Amino acid sequence: MKKFALLVSVGLLGACANLGSQPPVPVTSPVVQAFRDICLQTAPSFAEAHRVARQHGVTEMTDMGFATVGFNADKSLSIQVKVSHECVVTSEAQEDDSLTRQLLSAAAINAGTTVPRKVPVRMMIAGQPFILMHDREGGEAFVMLKPE
C-alpha cells in the first residue's frame, strides 16, 4: 500500500510540474498591448474600454444590443465589449509564435501573479475571476470573460 501511495504521489507531482509558471516575456505586439490596455486594465467592469479603444485607433463603435463592437479605420483591429462580462480584441493573423506568452505575461502582471503556461486560464483580475483565451483560428482573438 505504501508503494502505491508513493507511486500516486510521484505521478501527481509530475502532473503538477506541467501546470506551473513560465518566465514573463516582454509585451511587444501592438494587438496584445491593445488587449492589455482595453481589457485587462479596464477590468472588471470594462466601463472605460471604449474610451481606451479610441487611443488604439478604434473609432467606429456600434451598440449591437448584446455588446458593443468597434473597428479601427482599416479593420485590422476590432473590439467586442459586454460591460461587466466580456472583452475581446481581434486582429488579422500575426506570424508571431510568442503572442500567447505575451498575453499570459500581460495578464499575470495585471493580476500580480506568476505567468501561467497555457490558455485557457482562469485568473483573478481586479479581485474577480476571469477566463482568458487566445484563439488563432482565422486571425488573432484575445478573449477575457467572466465565468458563468
Side-chain angles (χ1 to χ4, degrees), residues 114-144:
T114 59
V115 180
R117 289 193 178 274
K118 61 182 182 173
V119 292
V121 63
R122 186 178 175 125
M123 298 181 81
M124 295 297 287
I125 297 175
Q128 296 196 20
F130 283 94
I131 297 171
L132 280 83
M133 280 284 305
H134 177 205
D135 182 2
R136 301 197 85 170
E137 188 72 30
E140 310 296 339
F142 299 93
V143 180
M144 180 176 181

Side-chain angles (χ1 to χ4, degrees), residues 49-123:
H50 304 108
R51 182 186 59 76
V52 176
R54 285 186 183 87
Q55 298 170 3
H56 288 273
V58 178
T59 55
E60 297 179 37
M61 290 193 217
T62 305
D63 184 349
M64 304 293 287
F66 63 92
T68 300
V69 297
F71 303 91
N72 65 355
D74 66 1
K75 308 280 193 266
S76 63
L77 182 73
S78 68
I79 67 163
Q80 177 177 312
V81 177
K82 185 174 181 182
V83 175
S84 297
H85 181 71
E86 172 186 85
C87 186
V88 179
V89 173
T90 62
S91 76
E92 54 203 17
Q94 310 285 311
E95 293 198 24
D96 184 345
D97 291 336
S98 74
L99 291 179
T100 300
R101 290 190 316 271
Q102 288 185 48
L103 164 71
L104 292 170
S105 291
I109 290 167
N110 202 273
T113 188
T114 59
V115 180
R117 289 193 178 274
K118 61 182 182 173
V119 292
V121 63
R122 186 178 175 125
M123 298 181 81

